[in-house]
Amino acid sequence: EMKMSMKLLYGLGLIISCVQALDCIKNAVVPEGYCASVMVGGLNDPRGIITAENNDIIVVEAGIAQITVIYEQGGNLIKDKLATAQGLNHAVSINDGYLYASSSTTVFRWPYTAGNRSDLGTPEITVHSLPDRGHSSRSLAFDASGNILVQVGSGSNVDRNPARAGIWSFNLSDIPSGGHSWVNGSLFVNGLRNEVGLRYDHKGQLWGVENGMDDLSRPDFGDIHNENPGEEVNKLNGNGLFYGYPYCWSQYTSLLNGTIQVNTTRGTQWVEPSFSSSYSDEWCQNKSNVEKPAYLLQAHTAPLDIIFYPPSNGTWPNFTGHALVSQHGSWDRQPPRGYRVSKLIMENGEIIADEPFFSYDGSGDIGSDWPYRPVAMTWAKCGGQECLLFTSDASSQIISIVLGASTPTPSFFSPPNHRVAGIVIGLIIGLALIGGIVYSYRTGLIGKRQQKQTTYSLTELDDELMTSKLNL
């Protein structure tokens, strides 16, 4: 009886440890059947993230200006330094045999092959002399013609110099010694205050997500900064097109002129008041002057990335053709908003709605028990399953979201401390269960017939547990 009980105890520990290791974030709201969990912590200001062809995860640790590779080995997650360069702070990308990353002033690259986990050494400079100060992330994208697109945000909240805030193109097949100078780049688009997230969809359309201006007020509308301007989601079509900043901003909520309702709709362009001597509402609302956003998100939610589904052959239901956006969260709004990942519902290539995908189960969008501020996203395979990974700089973590919360945890999600904690919890619970069973036997609460049937079922379970142990 004791031998069988110990086997049962061990088996229960194994079962419960598998469930515990996934460790779904308790106060995270995700769609039914999904699980959000911490894949890895202890990172130093994690920002940009990508997945290599072999499923290695590559992340920028901005706090130490390092690119780190994370991979599975022997059932454990290993973190190694892959590359360093002065001032690395956000973007990372792989293109045509090179790993690219950026500081506020420079775009670097290293020769790279998927599976390389050793230090890549001294980088080659691709673009230099990007304007410093102000918004410092320099996001990257690559077009079909062999050019790198480099994003530069504004130098201040309402930058009087409109020439800086945009995206520039540089030819990768003809990089001069020492790299391209930013001033020699070709203007792709401008009028973008801080277009941190750039991504092509599956049809080759480049999209961007923008952080709008703060502290907005006008003499006619008053202080409207809490709900305006909306955070723009833009289709970026090149050709030097102008998207409005700093002269114009995008209406998110209805406006009042005194006590009179303004008869305009979300997305209407309005002049920023400090430019009203040279520009007007009519000028901003003329489509030949300003490209309107494709969609607007709630003001000050700070979208930092956009990603499209599916990554390849997607298996998530009701996701094909849609997108996700990371919303880092507000500082210039009461109550605070954002701190989530939202699903962008698309129809015929256009966004028609947004809804939370990963958000806080509490009053408002953030609380003392919600440390997550989503930054950048990537698709990966987690134990063979499709998963979304995103960095959270405030909590120093990478968060994973998988479909199937009850699925036994793949080792990709199981750092040793999670597995040990699960086994310990499982053993404690198992010990309590065994104690209850033994007590029931000895006090005669279970009859002989029932005891015989129970012994048979426990023996059968013991066989199942040993089989499960071999398969773990």
Side-chain angles (χ1 to χ4, degrees):
E1 180 181 348
M2 180 60 68
K3 181 178 179 181
M4 183 190 69
S5 298
M6 290 305 295
K7 287 184 178 180
L8 177 61
L9 173 62
Y10 179 68
L12 287 170
L14 288 172
I15 290 175
I16 296 171
S17 71
C18 287
V19 176
Q20 289 289 328
L22 192 54
D23 199 18
C24 300
I25 298 171
K26 299 298 186 294
N27 55 352
V29 179
V30 293
E32 184 177 356
Y34 290 81
C35 173
S37 63
V38 176
M39 173 186 151
V40 64
L43 300 172
N44 197 324
D45 194 12
R47 298 285 293 186
I49 186 171
I50 53 172
T51 306
E53 289 182 357
N54 69 329
N55 207 46
D56 281 0
I57 305 304
I58 298 173
V59 61
V60 172
E61 293 190 74
I64 52 176
Q66 176 177 298
I67 300 173
T68 299
V69 59
I70 302 171
Y71 56 95
E72 182 187 4
Q73 189 174 81
N76 298 316
L77 286 181
I78 308 298
K79 297 187 293 182
D80 282 333
K81 180 179 74 173
L82 187 61
T84 58
Q86 185 175 0
L88 291 179
N89 67 353
H90 182 75
V92 62
S93 189
I94 297 171
N95 182 70
D96 197 22
Y98 286 91
L99 177 70
Y100 290 82
S102 62
S103 69
S104 62
T105 62
T106 310
V107 179
F108 306 94
R109 74 176 187 178
W110 298 259
Y112 173 77
T113 302
N116 190 339
R117 296 163 178 171
S118 58
D119 195 321
L120 298 178
T122 303
E124 174 188 355
I125 294 176
T126 306
V127 182
H128 63 84
S129 302
L130 296 163
D132 205 356
R133 73 182 176 80
H135 293 111
S136 61
S137 60
R138 304 289 177 256
S139 297
L140 310 174
F142 302 87
D143 69 17
S145 300
N147 301 307
I148 185 172
L149 305 178
V150 183
Q151 168 266 345
V152 179
S154 65
S156 61
N157 180 34
V158 182
D159 196 338
R160 306 302 297 184
N161 176 16
R164 153 176 172 147
I167 299 173
W168 279 260
S169 174
F170 303 88
N171 188 347
L172 290 175
S173 65
D174 186 24
I175 302 175
S177 177
H180 292 286
S181 174
W182 176 69
V183 297
N184 295 328
S186 299
L187 179 65
F188 183 71
V189 291
N190 75 336
L192 303 168
R193 181 176 178 272
N194 193 28
E195 205 84 359
V196 183
L198 301 176
R199 188 90 60 168
Y200 283 96
D201 66 18
H202 300 299
K203 295 182 178 179
Q205 171 67 58
L206 181 63
W207 294 75
V209 289
E210 183 172 349
N211 290 203
M213 63 182 68
D214 300 307
D215 303 321
L216 182 61
S217 65
R218 283 191 13 163
D220 49 354
F221 300 146
D223 182 353
I224 53 174
H225 85 276
N226 216 43
E227 295 291 353
N228 290 281
E231 307 282 50
E232 296 184 0
V233 182
N234 292 306
K235 287 185 175 182
L236 303 172
N237 294 314
N239 301 314
L241 291 174
F242 180 67
Y243 286 76
Y245 178 85
Y247 311 133
C248 311
W249 54 271
S250 296
Q251 174 184 338
Y252 184 70
T253 59
S254 58
L255 301 170
L256 293 175
N257 187 343
T259 59
I260 301 173
Q261 183 77 43
V262 178
N263 188 26
T264 55
T265 58
R266 181 173 295 180
T268 300
Q269 300 292 295
W270 298 93
V271 70
E272 202 283 329
S274 66
F275 294 101
S276 60
S277 62
S278 302
Y279 298 89
S280 65
D281 293 336
E282 290 73 24
W283 187 90
C284 289
Q285 292 166 17
N286 186 331
K287 294 180 181 179
S288 64
N289 297 328
V290 176
E291 292 291 306
K292 288 187 65 173
Y295 190 74
L296 287 175
L297 298 163
Q298 188 174 25
H300 309 302
T301 54
L304 296 185
D305 200 7
I306 183 170
I307 196 167
F308 296 89
Y309 192 89
S312 52
N313 297 318
T315 58
W316 287 7
N318 303 315
F319 254 89
T320 299
H322 303 303
L324 294 164
V325 61
S326 58
Q327 293 170 279
H328 196 235
S330 63
W331 68 270
D332 188 33
R333 190 189 188 285
Q334 291 299 327
R337 287 289 181 259
Y339 311 94
R340 62 180 179 254
V341 174
S342 291
K343 179 181 178 180
L344 302 181
I345 300 170
M346 303 186 72
E347 188 175 282
N348 299 320
E350 303 294 336
I351 305 168
I352 61 171
D354 65 275
E355 62 185 27
F357 179 68
F358 167 87
S359 60
Y360 176 50
D361 182 17
S363 177
D365 287 5
I366 189 172
S368 59
D369 56 345
W370 187 255
Y372 311 107
R373 300 195 72 179
V375 181
M377 302 178 288
T378 188
W379 296 112
K381 290 291 185 181
C382 302
Q385 295 184 84
E386 184 175 87
C387 63
L388 176 75
L389 305 180
F390 66 86
T391 52
S392 169
D393 54 1
S395 61
S396 306
Q397 296 167 331
I398 297 173
I399 307 299
S400 67
I401 300 180
V402 296
L403 175 61
S406 61
T407 302
T409 307
S411 55
F412 200 84
F413 287 125
S414 303
N417 60 319
H418 281 189
R419 291 200 303 273
V420 171
I423 291 173
V424 170
I425 294 171
L427 290 174
I428 293 172
I429 296 174
L431 184 61
L433 291 173
I434 293 299
I437 293 171
V438 172
Y439 175 80
S440 297
Y441 277 131
R442 291 183 175 179
T443 55
L445 294 178
I446 300 177
K448 291 183 179 181
R449 183 176 179 182
Q450 291 173 312
Q451 181 177 350
K452 183 177 180 181
Q453 291 174 343
T454 304
T455 303
Y456 173 79
S457 63
L458 290 175
T459 304
E460 185 178 52
L461 175 60
D462 183 51
D463 292 338
E464 293 291 330
L465 292 174
M466 291 304 102
T467 303
S468 299
K469 178 185 174 184
L470 294 175
N471 291 333
L472 288 176

